[in-house]
Amino acid sequence: MAVKLDGKKLSNEICENLKGEINELKKKGIFPKLAVILVGDDPASQIYVRNKHRRAEKLGIQSLDLHLPRIVTEAELLEKVKELNADPTVHGILVQLPLPKQIDPDKVINAISPFKDADGFHPYNLGRLFMNDPFSIPCTPNGIMHLLKAYDLSVDGKNVVIIGRSKIVGRPLAALMINQSATVTVTHSHTKNLKEITKKADVLVSAVGKAGFIHGEDVKPGAIVIDVGINRNAAGKLVGDVVQKQVEQIAGYLTPVPGGVGPMTIAMLMKQTVELAKWSALKR
Ligand code: NAD
């Protein structure tokens, strides 16, 4: 039976430790503040934003929630980002994706100051990550690396297979894994014979977004399996990409859904906001 990689427990521990750091900053007159911009009424985005807000409040991080209407123009959104860049009380800025069709997400991400880039998606930060000199790191991949480290699971020399090449998960995770000396294969929707590749993985990460995508037969015995997917099954229940009941019989370690990668993502966002606040203080 696979060992459960408990992201919920670890994220609580990380956040608990952050409280001390936040109090120290406050004593110095620095009040960490995260600005979150939500455009429109996408129900999933609203839940994500609410969870981020709640976690920040609990920790004593100020959270500025800006809810803009779905019909907002790209120019108006860019103007809002510019204002937040210039506001010295704001340390982290996050624009919740996806954005409505009239707005180019890359333009918006590029407009965020790289030094307030709470999500780590700015090309400057992705470039630094690829140069193995990271500043702000995308939260989901960073959460995965923290989870592995907490369980003393080194990826050095391991065969890591990532399914999904998105800018928010697959690509930055590949860089983090290479930086930790893993041998990395990034697969995606055009990959041929995917199952042959997954079966050779010492560490298998699925970030596809399809329930029931990874079965027991796709996994090498004893492998570490990280389930990034967030899906609703036919019964409306939250599930990952991995058929957990099968894979837990084969894998050595497995992240549950919920309670695995999801909570780690939020913990990393909080940690990053605190780091950005610390950095702003150094600049003074
Ligand atoms: P995305 O849609 O941008 O990327 C999905 C990737 O899967 C693509 O690169 C695509 O090529 C690949 N893919 C699709 N079908 C495939 C197939 N048949 N074979 C191989 N590859 C295939 O999605 P994303 O934003 O990277 O998110 C992926 C999943 O992770 C979603 O379920 C999302 O909700 C979840 N997610 C979870 C967290 C978290 O905190 N737990 C964070 C981000 C994303």
Side-chain angles (χ1 to χ4, degrees):
M1 192 76 165
V3 173
K4 177 171 102 167
L5 297 174
D6 193 341
K8 192 172 174 201
K9 181 163 163 268
L10 180 61
S11 88
N12 285 336
E13 283 167 18
I14 290 169
C15 289
E16 209 45 50
N17 288 337
L18 279 178
K19 278 188 189 164
E21 290 186 43
I22 293 165
N23 286 336
E24 283 307 308
L25 281 171
K26 286 184 176 170
K27 279 187 205 153
K28 293 180 194 155
I30 300 151
F31 297 84
K33 193 194 270 188
L34 174 68
V36 178
I37 303 181
L38 172 66
V39 181
D41 304 303
D42 178 60
S45 293
Q46 281 178 328
I47 294 170
Y48 292 143
V49 168
R50 199 175 60 216
N51 289 344
K52 288 166 188 172
H53 179 78
R54 281 194 186 146
R55 186 56 111 164
E57 293 275 287
K58 262 195 194 164
L59 293 179
I61 293 175
Q62 293 179 30
S63 144
L64 182 64
D65 284 336
L66 299 156
H67 193 172
L68 304 178
R70 193 185 50 80
I71 51 157
V72 75
T73 65
E74 189 178 89
E76 284 165 333
L77 179 55
L78 290 172
E79 192 50 41
K80 190 45 83 187
V81 170
K82 205 170 151 193
E83 268 173 40
L84 295 169
N85 282 342
D87 182 344
T89 70
V90 171
H91 304 106
I93 303 170
L94 179 156
V95 177
Q96 184 65 44
L97 302 174
L99 289 167
K101 283 196 183 67
Q102 74 274 18
I103 300 170
D104 177 351
D106 288 341
K107 252 195 199 166
V108 177
I109 288 164
N110 290 4
I112 297 172
S113 160
F115 305 104
K116 294 192 177 188
D117 176 23
D119 259 337
F121 295 158
H122 191 285
Y124 171 87
N125 283 316
L126 291 175
R128 283 192 62 163
L129 179 60
F130 272 84
M131 297 305 286
N132 199 6
D133 176 29
F135 179 69
S136 182
I137 304 173
C139 298
T140 300
N142 202 15
I144 293 169
M145 300 313 282
H146 273 73
L147 195 51
L148 292 172
K149 189 157 185 268
Y151 282 83
D152 267 333
L153 296 170
S154 165
V155 297
D156 191 323
K158 297 257 170 68
N159 192 12
V160 173
V161 174
I162 300 169
I163 317 176
R165 56 175 163 179
S166 73
K167 290 180 201 168
I168 65 170
V169 188
R171 285 167 202 249
L173 181 61
L176 283 164
M177 291 284 186
I178 293 166
N179 293 347
Q180 295 293 319
S181 303
T183 304
V184 183
T185 306
V186 180
T187 66
H188 45 77
S189 52
H190 291 231
T191 300
K192 307 263 189 296
N193 302 324
L194 179 65
K195 310 238 152 175
E196 293 309 312
I197 301 170
T198 62
K199 274 192 275 192
K200 293 190 183 127
D202 302 314
V203 181
L204 177 62
V205 182
S206 183
V208 176
K210 288 183 183 161
F213 194 74
I214 298 292
H215 294 88
E217 71 210 24
D218 307 327
V219 174
K220 179 174 161 177
I224 300 165
V225 179
I226 308 289
D227 190 356
V228 184
I230 301 179
N231 315 291
R232 295 252 169 220
N233 68 8
K237 200 176 149 232
L238 203 68
V239 294
D241 293 346
V242 172
V243 181
Q244 296 257 340
K245 284 236 162 344
Q246 290 179 14
V247 172
E248 67 189 8
Q249 305 296 327
I250 312 286
Y253 298 85
L254 175 62
T255 60
V257 178
V261 176
M264 289 304 297
T265 299
I266 295 199
M268 291 298 109
L269 177 65
M270 299 300 123
K271 190 169 157 57
Q272 198 123 276
T273 303
V274 173
E275 295 297 330
L276 293 173
K278 279 192 210 160
W279 187 85
S280 80
L282 287 177
K283 259 190 346 169
R284 280 183 181 176

